[in-house]
Amino acid sequence: MPRIVMKFGGTSMAGSERIRHVAGLVRREAERGNQVAVVVSAMAGETDRLIQFCREAASVYDPREYDVVVASGEQVTSGLLAITLQGMGLNARSYMGWQLPIRASGHAAGLIEGIDVDVLERVFDEQGIAIIPGFQGVAADGSLATLGRGGSDTSAVAIAAAMKADRCDIYTDVDGVYTTDPRIVPRARKLPIVTYEEMLELASVGAKVLQTRSVGLAMRYNLPLQVLSSFEDLPGTLIVREDSLGDYAMERNLITGIAYDRNEARITLSGLPITPGTAAAIFGPLAEGGINYDMIAQGSPTDLTFTVPAATLAQAADILEKAQEAIGYDELSTDTDICKVSIVGVGIRSDPALAARMFATLAERKIDILAIATSEIKVSVLIPQDYSELAVRVLHTAFGLDSEDSA
Ligand code: ADP
Ligand code: ASP
Ligand code: MG
């Protein structure tokens, strides 16, 4: 019997009517003869609401207790979906993260270390449907743990890999992966198929339609992923290995898509000494503090700019201030009004003209580039945030990605 995991995001689970619709989609897959495990998110906005309560309770809070609070959103929707399916006469049951269990490495943004699927095997033996809260696991000491924002995607893929599912369907509020965020560029085009590699890069530079870790896991287990709408019955986007692209390999664009990320912050250190070891003195303590840094640019021999996730800016600045004497800089400045815009595509590997076209397109619009970062299939630029939508739109046009019917 084919096995599938169906994952439903927050907008898909927002309220009784949406949940009833989701239950209909689950029933359809079960009636097609599939063994089905369902992974659900909290209702749209609920996780933000719960996090806000934690902030109001104390400015610095214990991650263990944060997890107790925020994991509750998914508990509610999984129970509600099970009740709704039972009301339709189906044998559905919810299983919390600790009941499988889904073992997490720690609190608030833990990694999945392993999943026991014996419970699911028993459910399938009895022709049942398992409903599992996404985002939720259990830490080594038995306490609740969560997996980081957007983590239900990763729960779904990890469960699919553990139960050797034939595919994992990610239902969301758009009908697939687009050439850029369709909410800011209405001319974006739906991609029928993309490779894990391209999707991984798109997600890591800000295309939040899938959590980056979920794509990495799907790639590792060669698990076919599909992104599709829970609102409309339309074909979605398949995410597969490069050698499974078939005919699409021929039609592939050199640039797959454009992504943006407004959750980065810029740090500039000026008045740096021109001596070997300066970069090590800056990035060593940051790495020790667990801060991820990116997009390093040297404005002059004595000043250096780089980015960190905005959520870690205060911590990064604190580390650098404490190390001021050891590094020997004069001034530290920060800015959160920035945006990282990236082009992603396999063409970048072999065609330097693509990066050049990106820079020229932004120059034509007089958009300043504050820093640049490249990888094999990606070029990212850091720009002032006010220009983020304009930059994404003009790049989308410049790389021939606009849909034909919008011309
Ligand atoms: P869910 O709650 O279902 O997990 P998310 O809000 O996490 O949904 O992700 C879906 C959103 O991702 C879409 O509403 C869209 O605005 C955004 N998005 C960003 N980039 C892309 C892209 N390239 N293709 C499709 N959606 C994208
Ligand atoms: N509810 C969690 C969040 O909003 C997890 C998820 O929906 O993927 O981040
Ligand atoms: Mg999501």
Side-chain angles (χ1 to χ4, degrees):
M1 242 180 161
R3 283 190 167 180
I4 62 167
V5 170
M6 304 172 79
K7 181 256 169 178
F8 295 92
T11 321
S12 308
M13 298 299 292
S16 307
E17 203 178 309
R18 292 306 322 156
I19 293 178
R20 221 176 344 268
H21 181 74
V22 161
L25 297 175
V26 172
R27 177 171 60 184
R28 185 172 72 178
E29 290 298 350
E31 285 175 354
R32 282 176 179 160
N34 293 300
Q35 291 179 332
V36 186
V38 186
V39 173
V40 295
S41 283
M43 294 191 197
E46 179 64 6
T47 308
D48 288 339
R49 194 178 76 95
L50 295 169
I51 293 174
Q52 186 54 31
F53 280 131
C54 293
R55 291 200 181 116
E56 284 165 20
S59 55
V60 180
Y61 41 78
D62 177 0
R64 182 188 183 281
E65 303 312 328
Y66 161 93
D67 280 348
V68 169
V69 176
V70 299
S72 67
E74 272 73 7
Q75 173 163 338
V76 170
T77 47
S78 44
L80 288 173
L81 180 59
I83 294 173
T84 311
L85 284 163
Q86 288 169 5
M88 293 172 161
L90 289 152
N91 174 14
R93 275 247 129 114
S94 65
Y95 297 90
M96 301 299 101
W98 57 270
Q99 283 174 297
L100 290 182
I102 297 173
R103 292 186 300 281
S105 63
H107 290 291
L111 303 176
I112 295 180
E113 289 188 328
I115 299 181
D116 221 318
V117 286
D118 291 353
V119 170
L120 298 182
E121 293 298 344
R122 283 199 296 278
V123 173
F124 296 145
D125 283 348
E126 291 161 14
Q127 280 84 48
I129 298 170
I131 319 291
I132 302 153
F135 185 51
Q136 192 186 100
V138 56
D141 65 357
S143 56
L144 267 172
T146 62
L147 307 174
R149 297 310 306 270
S152 298
D153 296 330
T154 302
S155 308
V157 173
I159 289 165
M163 68 182 229
K164 301 197 167 44
D166 296 280
R167 59 170 215 271
C168 179
D169 292 343
I170 308 282
Y171 287 85
T172 183
D173 54 6
V174 281
D175 60 346
V177 178
Y178 278 69
T179 47
T180 193
D181 187 343
R183 304 212 185 275
I184 71 155
V185 180
R187 295 177 189 178
R189 259 191 290 140
K190 180 161 65 176
L191 297 161
I193 190 163
V194 286
T195 62
Y196 294 123
E197 203 190 3
E198 291 163 320
M199 192 63 233
L200 192 63
E201 201 75 66
L202 276 171
S204 72
V205 292
K208 71 161 189 164
V209 61
L210 285 175
Q211 198 198 37
T212 311
R213 276 156 54 202
S214 71
V215 188
L217 259 186
M219 179 152 103
R220 171 142 35 110
Y221 289 94
N222 193 22
L223 178 82
L225 264 187
Q226 194 176 190
V227 174
L228 64 178
S229 167
S230 73
F231 291 75
E232 291 172 288
D233 207 0
L234 291 168
T237 299
L238 276 176
I239 300 154
V240 297
R241 247 171 37 182
E242 179 129 21
D243 57 10
S244 314
L245 278 179
D247 290 348
Y248 284 105
M250 308 270 300
E251 296 168 26
R252 223 164 159 198
N253 239 308
L254 293 173
I255 296 299
T256 311
I258 320 270
Y260 65 96
D261 185 353
R262 295 191 182 116
N263 295 313
E264 299 251 324
R266 175 188 64 78
I267 298 182
T268 299
L269 296 176
S270 42
L272 286 163
I274 311 177
T275 48
T278 301
I282 298 168
F283 296 113
L286 289 175
E288 264 168 47
I291 308 277
N292 285 321
Y293 46 85
D294 186 28
M295 305 203 71
I296 305 171
Q298 196 142 22
S300 77
T302 57
D303 72 62
L304 192 79
T305 287
F306 56 94
T307 59
V308 296
T312 63
L313 177 62
Q315 199 193 337
D318 187 50
I319 292 173
L320 292 169
E321 273 156 17
K322 287 194 177 120
Q324 180 166 13
E325 214 168 302
I327 302 169
Y329 66 86
D330 290 336
E331 206 188 326
L332 177 151
S333 69
T334 64
D335 184 3
T336 51
D337 266 345
I338 51 152
C339 178
K340 177 166 79 176
V341 176
S342 310
I343 58 171
V344 171
V346 285
I348 293 168
R349 250 182 219 148
S350 51
D351 190 353
L354 295 171
R357 192 192 305 172
M358 179 185 203
F359 305 144
T361 305
L362 297 172
E364 259 170 47
R365 296 294 181 136
K366 308 227 173 332
I367 300 174
D368 267 344
I369 297 176
L370 312 171
I372 300 173
T374 61
S375 75
E376 214 192 341
I377 63 163
K378 168 205 84 182
V379 183
S380 301
V381 295
L382 193 68
I383 62 166
Q385 198 169 105
D386 285 350
Y387 291 98
S388 47
E389 291 196 11
L390 175 67
V392 172
R393 266 191 280 116
V394 295
L395 291 171
H396 198 264
T397 306
F399 287 103
L401 299 174
D402 290 353
S403 73
E404 276 143 32
D405 41 298
S406 65

